Amino acid sequence: MGSGGHTGEMVRLLSTLDFRHFSPRLYLVARTDDMSAKRVQQLESSHISTAGLFQTVSISRSREVHQSWITTIVSFLQSTLECLRILFYYQPDLILCNGPGTCVPPCIIALLLRVLWIKRSTVIFIESICRVNTLSLTGKLMVCFLADRSIVQWPELHAKYPQTVFLGRLV
Amino acid sequence: MNMPVSQEKKKIFVTVGTTQFDELVTRVLHPDMLEIMEAQGYTHLIIQIGRGPEPQIPTSQRIQITVYHLKESISSDIKDASLVISHAGAGSCLEVLHAHKPLIVVVNQKLMGNHQLELAEKLHSERHVVMCYPETLKTTMTVFNTSSLENLPINNQMALSNYIEKLMGF
């Protein structure tokens, strides 16, 4: 889960899933992002099929808005190490992400765990509705390297990146 | 008894999202804007200002002004409004469009690498919203015509769920 808009969009996407099929659930939120943790709590308590367990784990933010690039590298490495511990322990079958900075480290770890034959997680990236013509930086990383499937929400973007999946507007 | 005739409420809701967009707040509170709103029959102006500073509220006007910082949910304010003026955040825009309310989207040019512009332009070109900038809000408001707008088509809500379930082999 990521800040503001990303979280809102993710909550909307998750609310359409049948949680009985996706259980247990682990939510990664940035440590300073109380809003997202709260939204997760709301989603879980209001969801129609609240079967199974969920937990919310906070990780360091890989990049705060306006943070300098040098300190970004440090905090990025820090959150990647945290993700290594979490994902090694949790071994998810499916990773869903929609593009906040927080979502890059876990996807890198998922790739690592796959290369090491420890766990093969399916990574699905859903680009934000905001992106009509261009992919975000995270989006480019996801589409080119990290995600098994990347979903975009506008035909213009799908035409530019034919390797993506277009399912219409999702939110 | 000589009771005043109860006037029908016509509300404008302004929202800047969770950060701040002081320029928008200043613009909607400008006397010229308030005059236009009054002339168009609006009786209430509700402004959600996010983390921005409390604005000076002009004293002499007939339109009733309410200002607040943040709320758990702005859906009731959207529901009550006849017109929404919003920042270009996707969440706010979609919430307003899902509620089938006329929407003016004001783009904040001071945002770094403004990717919000993409969505605003797209929604504008498909006539779901009217997009403008803080400087052009007054003109936009003057010529704004709700009947020129079209509802946003319904989203493909179950598509993601179906896609993932199939991919994961359920």
Side-chain angles (χ1 to χ4, degrees):
Chain A
M1 313 294 287
S3 53
H6 286 294
T7 296
E9 223 173 296
M10 187 50 111
V11 165
R12 242 176 300 200
L13 293 171
L14 293 178
S15 63
T16 65
L17 300 186
D18 187 342
F19 277 9
R20 287 168 299 187
H21 295 167
F22 304 97
S23 189
R25 294 169 294 282
L26 175 77
Y27 296 91
L28 290 183
V29 300
R31 191 155 292 131
T32 47
D33 187 4
D34 298 334
M35 182 83 118
S36 292
K38 217 164 148 192
R39 296 289 296 274
V40 168
Q41 206 54 258
Q42 282 170 353
L43 168 75
E44 283 286 343
S45 58
S46 66
H47 202 280
I48 333 149
S49 54
T50 45
L53 294 164
F54 81 96
Q55 52 178 314
T56 305
V57 175
S58 14
I59 53 173
S60 305
R61 223 183 249 266
S62 41
R63 183 166 188 264
E64 296 277 357
V65 178
H66 304 308
Q67 192 180 337
S68 85
W69 284 104
I70 296 171
T71 54
T72 296
I73 295 170
V74 176
S75 50
F76 183 82
L77 287 175
Q78 192 184 348
S79 56
T80 307
L81 282 174
E82 288 170 16
C83 288
L84 177 63
R85 191 175 49 81
I86 295 164
L87 293 193
F88 184 77
Y89 175 74
Y90 200 80
Q91 305 223 344
D93 294 305
L94 174 67
I95 298 177
L96 280 180
C97 57
N98 73 336
T102 4
C103 83
V104 178
C107 294
I108 290 176
I109 295 303
L111 190 67
L112 180 75
L113 295 184
R114 179 188 301 182
V115 171
L116 297 175
W117 288 64
I118 293 170
K119 175 70 193 175
R120 191 182 187 316
S121 309
T122 303
V123 177
I124 300 181
F125 167 71
I126 304 136
E127 181 58 285
S128 164
I129 188 80
C130 298
R131 295 297 179 155
V132 182
N133 299 304
T134 61
L135 283 177
S136 58
L137 178 59
T138 310
K140 282 180 192 149
L141 285 171
M142 290 292 165
V143 170
C144 300
F145 306 110
L146 296 173
D148 293 285
R149 297 283 193 282
S150 294
I151 301 173
V152 296
Q153 300 194 58
W154 294 104
E156 291 88 339
L157 200 49
H158 178 54
K160 259 191 205 167
Y161 298 90
Q163 69 270 51
T164 58
V165 176
F166 175 63
L167 303 169
R169 208 183 81 237
L170 300 173
V171 294
Chain B
M1 279 225 305
N2 200 3
M3 291 282 282
V5 182
S6 78
Q7 210 183 357
E8 207 187 317
K9 286 179 185 170
K10 203 177 164 199
K11 299 180 179 178
I12 295 186
F13 177 52
V14 179
T15 174
V16 308
T18 48
T19 53
Q20 62 189 86
F21 189 1
D22 304 339
E23 204 183 348
L24 175 58
V25 177
T26 318
R27 295 273 174 178
V28 289
L29 283 171
H30 191 276
D32 291 354
M33 267 299 273
L34 296 173
E35 206 170 287
I36 296 168
M37 290 172 187
E38 272 176 40
Q40 294 180 355
Y42 291 101
T43 56
H44 292 70
L45 173 61
I46 298 104
I47 314 176
Q48 181 267 321
I49 60 170
R51 303 217 166 98
E54 203 91 31
Q56 194 91 47
I57 294 173
T59 43
S60 61
Q61 80 281 318
R62 274 163 294 173
I63 198 160
Q64 196 181 316
I65 301 172
T66 320
V67 172
Y68 67 88
H69 287 273
L70 290 166
K71 239 189 221 178
E72 195 107 307
S73 162
I74 55 168
S75 27
S76 65
D77 287 315
I78 293 173
K79 209 180 102 226
D80 290 346
S82 307
L83 168 68
V84 181
I85 300 176
S86 169
H87 74 122
S92 311
C93 292
L94 290 173
E95 195 171 349
V96 176
L97 291 177
H98 286 163
H100 300 305
K101 295 292 178 175
L103 172 62
I104 296 178
V105 176
V106 187
V107 173
N108 189 353
Q109 287 149 299
K110 289 189 185 126
L111 285 183
M112 271 198 315
N114 196 352
H115 63 262
Q116 294 188 331
L117 189 62
E118 266 186 45
L119 181 67
E121 275 176 345
K122 176 73 180 174
L123 294 174
H124 179 83
S125 74
E126 301 202 337
R127 297 154 65 100
H128 302 308
V129 308
V130 168
M131 186 191 93
C132 69
Y133 298 95
E135 314 81 81
T136 55
L137 177 61
K138 200 171 101 183
T139 337
T140 306
M141 186 74 192
T142 319
V143 298
F144 186 68
N145 181 3
T146 52
S147 60
S148 66
L149 294 178
E150 283 169 27
N151 278 342
L152 189 69
I154 265 174
N155 60 5
N156 210 349
Q157 230 188 0
M158 290 318 289
L160 180 70
S161 169
N162 295 339
Y163 179 78
I164 297 176
E165 300 230 343
K166 208 170 148 199
L167 188 71
M168 300 304 285
F170 293 135

